[in-house]
Amino acid sequence: MQRRRFLGMTAAGAATAALAPALTACGSSAPGGDKKLKLVAADYGDKPANSSKKYWEQFAKDFEAKNKGVKLDVEVYSWTEVDKKVADMVAAGKAPDIAQIGAYADFAAAGKLYSADQMISVPTQADFISSLAKAGEVHRVQYGLPFVSSTRMLFYNKALFAKAGVVKAPESWDEVQAAAVKLKAAGVKIPFGVPLGPEEAPAETMLWMLGGGGGYTDNTGAYTISSEANVKAFAWLRDELVGKGLTGPNDPARTNRQDVFDAFCKGDVGMLHGHPTLMQQARAGKIDFQIAPLPGVKGKASSTMGVADWMMAFKQGGHRDQLGTLLDFVFSKDNVLSFVGQYDLLPVTESASASMQGDRRYEALWPFLSQLQIAEFYPADKTSWAKVSATIKEKIGTVVQKGGDPSAVLGEIQREAEAAELAGR
């Protein structure tokens, strides 16, 4: 099993094959006349001892005990295969009743999903954190139900900072560069880790865009990948960090997120962008670390990146009432806290968030939680996003290489994004 290294990502185009017409219904009746529901979920564990399968087995027992006559069949797959598994099931006309995966937009656009207000109770729908609920909308109708969430912050190694004479976390990009120069002079192998390799290039890209005052889209949802702010951000990254040897010996275009996470946990990285699960890994590596808000071009960035994984309910089985009952149970405060607490993730509901903020057992997550309301998300409501994400993975790393041209590369990605958007209409 493999812990998911990044929430909210999906295999590019995985859902495309799922748009074939339905053939047969997947929902069925179990022996004895019981109604049987099928749920397919992703595994957030990194070993058998903390596999999500254990959570869902207990969840099924608890749900069936409260809902006589309903049987819940749960299949759990690794993040490397779960999106494709669901896409294949839907394409074969055997959609699960519920899927907990990385993206919902293609299924929603094809008319295969129930909307939130067709199933779940008003209190459950109203309990979703507003920024997350909005990120689950297609044409202002919510189809994606956020399951877990995460935000990104700056992680830094306190011991390496002290060794280099850096007295506080940088807030602006100039301070980032100044700290990185000191770290390099002190012998730190990777002053600032920049993973623009294919594993998570869209996330690292978005973080630098947000820090520069840009982003993937504007307020109307139109792609702004080649905006002036984004071009300037990558020109700065190319010239002031990568070009000055402040990102370590490896090419950022070939460096994956887990590469820099592993190096951070070995004490080789001064600072990097990270999500909450890095805390577990860093503690296991006995790294004395601290977290801080995302630095921006002139000071602290006005927003950070938020990420969500999604639940969605398929119409094919026709079990709308039972699915509403199931989803109300999934998003009860105790169940939300039970799951996120196991994996250092953030809750998606106001009730669970308030409970977490008042419980010192979750104190390490409070800074990430405080960022959630100002977080910006991938344009996951766009059916074009899977293709755009794949293009970013393929091309973005070249902008920070010697001779790289941010304007040309971002312009090319912009044109491909607009073409993909038009093709999906």
Side-chain angles (χ1 to χ4, degrees):
M1 275 162 266
Q2 176 184 350
R3 160 159 294 183
R4 196 175 195 207
R5 293 172 183 163
F6 175 63
L7 296 162
M9 294 295 294
T10 180
T16 303
L19 305 185
L23 302 176
T24 59
C26 180
S28 61
S29 294
D34 292 336
K35 185 70 70 176
K36 187 175 182 180
L37 303 177
K38 184 172 184 177
L39 187 155
V40 176
D43 195 347
Y44 289 77
D46 58 0
K47 51 185 177 293
N50 68 354
S51 170
S52 302
K53 185 176 181 180
K54 294 186 177 182
Y55 171 84
W56 288 113
E57 286 175 348
Q58 185 60 52
F59 176 94
K61 291 178 182 178
D62 294 342
F63 178 75
E64 289 170 1
K66 291 178 179 290
N67 296 274
K68 301 298 184 183
V70 180
K71 298 295 183 182
L72 181 59
D73 174 28
V74 182
E75 295 180 4
V76 177
Y77 297 97
S78 74
W79 273 110
T80 59
E81 60 180 343
V82 68
D83 287 296
K84 188 174 187 304
K85 285 281 187 182
V86 172
D88 289 346
M89 290 176 187
V90 177
K94 298 180 180 180
D97 292 290
I98 299 283
Q100 185 269 298
I101 51 177
Y104 63 86
D106 281 355
F107 298 126
K112 294 184 178 296
L113 303 180
Y114 287 118
S115 63
D117 59 6
Q118 288 179 307
M119 302 175 297
I120 60 178
S121 67
V122 171
T124 297
Q125 190 171 7
D127 198 25
F128 287 123
I129 293 171
S130 59
S131 60
L132 291 166
K134 184 173 177 58
E137 294 179 355
V138 174
H139 302 308
R140 299 188 178 182
V141 177
Q142 186 181 0
Y143 295 95
L145 309 178
F147 179 63
V148 291
S149 62
S150 173
T151 57
R152 302 302 168 95
M153 298 189 73
L154 182 75
F155 281 68
Y156 62 94
N157 184 311
K158 291 171 64 178
L160 295 182
F161 266 44
K163 178 183 177 182
V166 182
V167 298
K168 68 180 184 70
E171 296 182 357
S172 70
W173 285 358
D174 285 345
E175 291 179 0
V176 165
Q177 188 207 52
V181 168
K182 290 182 178 180
L183 289 163
K184 183 178 180 180
V188 176
K189 185 176 179 181
I190 304 172
F192 198 113
V194 180
L196 289 174
E199 179 190 355
E200 207 186 4
E204 188 70 13
T205 298
M206 186 172 178
L207 287 164
W208 288 103
M209 286 178 171
L210 292 175
Y216 282 126
T217 59
D218 62 18
N219 292 334
T220 69
Y223 281 114
T224 56
I225 295 168
S226 61
S227 69
E228 182 181 1
N230 291 342
V231 171
K232 286 183 176 179
F234 279 95
W236 186 92
L237 179 59
R238 177 197 62 196
D239 297 337
E240 304 301 329
L241 277 190
V242 180
K244 293 186 176 178
L246 301 176
T247 57
N250 298 323
D251 181 359
R254 294 180 174 84
T255 301
N256 284 326
R257 172 71 66 196
Q258 197 60 41
D259 297 333
V260 293
F261 275 20
D262 291 344
F264 185 78
C265 296
K266 294 176 182 176
D268 290 336
V269 179
M271 48 187 162
L272 76 166
H273 298 134
H275 51 65
T277 54
L278 178 56
M279 294 191 296
Q280 286 186 1
Q281 298 173 44
R283 292 188 200 110
K286 303 189 184 306
I287 300 299
D288 185 12
F289 67 92
Q290 187 57 271
I291 55 176
L294 185 71
V297 62
K298 297 296 184 183
K300 293 179 183 178
S302 60
S303 63
T304 188
M305 180 181 178
V307 189
D309 289 330
W310 302 97
M311 274 195 153
M312 60 216 69
F314 288 88
K315 294 178 178 178
Q316 185 179 337
H319 300 144
R320 186 175 69 175
D321 292 342
Q322 291 87 356
L323 295 182
T325 301
L326 172 61
L327 289 166
D328 283 342
F329 192 60
V330 167
F331 293 109
S332 66
K333 182 180 71 174
D334 289 345
N335 282 330
V336 171
L337 286 172
S338 175
F339 191 90
V340 298
Q342 291 183 43
Y343 300 108
D344 274 352
L345 296 170
L346 303 182
V348 296
T349 61
E350 295 284 3
S351 59
S353 178
S355 181
M356 180 176 278
Q357 287 174 323
D359 190 336
R360 290 205 168 271
R361 290 179 299 171
Y362 302 110
E363 188 172 4
L365 290 170
W366 290 351
F368 295 94
L369 195 59
S370 70
Q371 300 278 301
L372 197 55
Q373 291 289 4
I374 64 166
E376 295 191 24
F377 294 80
Y378 285 138
D381 59 319
K382 292 178 174 290
T383 58
S384 59
W385 174 242
K387 185 173 182 179
V388 174
S389 176
T391 302
I392 292 166
K393 291 179 181 183
E394 178 187 350
K395 298 180 178 180
I396 196 64
T398 63
V399 304
V400 297
Q401 293 173 334
K402 186 176 181 179
D405 188 340
S407 180
V409 174
L410 292 175
E412 184 179 355
I413 298 172
Q414 173 80 24
R415 290 189 293 274
E416 292 191 21
E418 291 173 347
E421 186 80 347
L422 286 172
R425 289 177 180 172

